[in-house]
Amino acid sequence: MKSSVYQCSIMELPKVHNRAGNITAIENQLHAPFDIKRVYYLYDVPGGEDRGGHGHRTLQQFIVAVSGAFDVKLDDGINKKIVHLDRPYIGLHVMPGIWRELLNFSSGAICLVLASDTYSDQDYIRDKDEFLRFKSENR
Ligand code: TYD
């Protein structure tokens, strides 16, 4: 997968504000730049724990800190980038073929993930050396 961390972009989502609070909607193809086939969220992450630590062969994801904050560390095998997410109206589009780690979760943080496909263990690359080989074969 010829993807780079520079193709993983931050996107601002619409926010409808009134005195009773805010609403942010994420629509298929419009805000998330792919067909959303799965939604999941990470929560109750104990202090100091990291998540992720894998790459995907084909999966695209759109990550939002709907509550609290955390960092997303992206690595395409050559370049690295760290994105701090701490606003429920900001999303990070993660391309396939990117090694990602989620770290520095604040207390009570909720990480919402919209994904372009249903869960498939075969799509994961969980070994960093295998990921680097996969990237060098697909450059
Ligand atoms: P994993 O994606 O490895 O977690 P993280 O990258 O956040 O550390 O998933 C952890 C476990 O949860 C794994 O055993 C598979 C399961 N899982 C599902 O069953 N469905 C899903 O959609 C996801 C994302 C994970």
Side-chain angles (χ1 to χ4, degrees), residues 8-85:
C8 297
S9 47
I10 293 281
M11 300 166 101
E12 183 156 355
L13 299 162
K15 176 163 76 170
V16 181
H17 168 78
N18 65 30
R19 63 178 176 75
N22 300 319
I23 294 181
T24 288
I26 307 174
E27 295 198 14
N28 221 29
Q29 295 282 3
L30 185 61
H31 309 109
F34 50 79
D35 271 334
I36 300 162
K37 296 233 181 93
R38 176 168 48 123
V39 175
Y40 65 91
Y41 36 97
L42 308 174
Y43 55 100
D44 290 349
V45 178
E49 283 295 333
D50 300 343
R51 304 221 42 143
H54 62 253
H56 283 283
R57 296 171 199 280
T58 63
L59 192 75
Q60 295 185 61
Q61 291 171 310
F62 192 79
I63 302 178
V64 183
V66 289
S67 185
F70 50 85
D71 293 328
V72 186
K73 208 162 141 187
L74 303 170
D75 180 350
D76 60 23
I78 295 177
N79 302 294
K80 294 178 174 48
K81 178 162 110 171
I82 295 183
V83 178
H84 181 68
L85 293 177

Side-chain angles (χ1 to χ4, degrees), residues 8 31 35 43 50 52 55 79 87 93 96 117 119 126 130 132:
C8 297
H31 309 109
D35 271 334
Y43 55 100
D50 300 343
N79 302 294
R87 297 279 183 272
H93 179 209
D117 213 339
Y119 179 79
R126 296 188 188 274
E130 187 189 343
L132 295 172

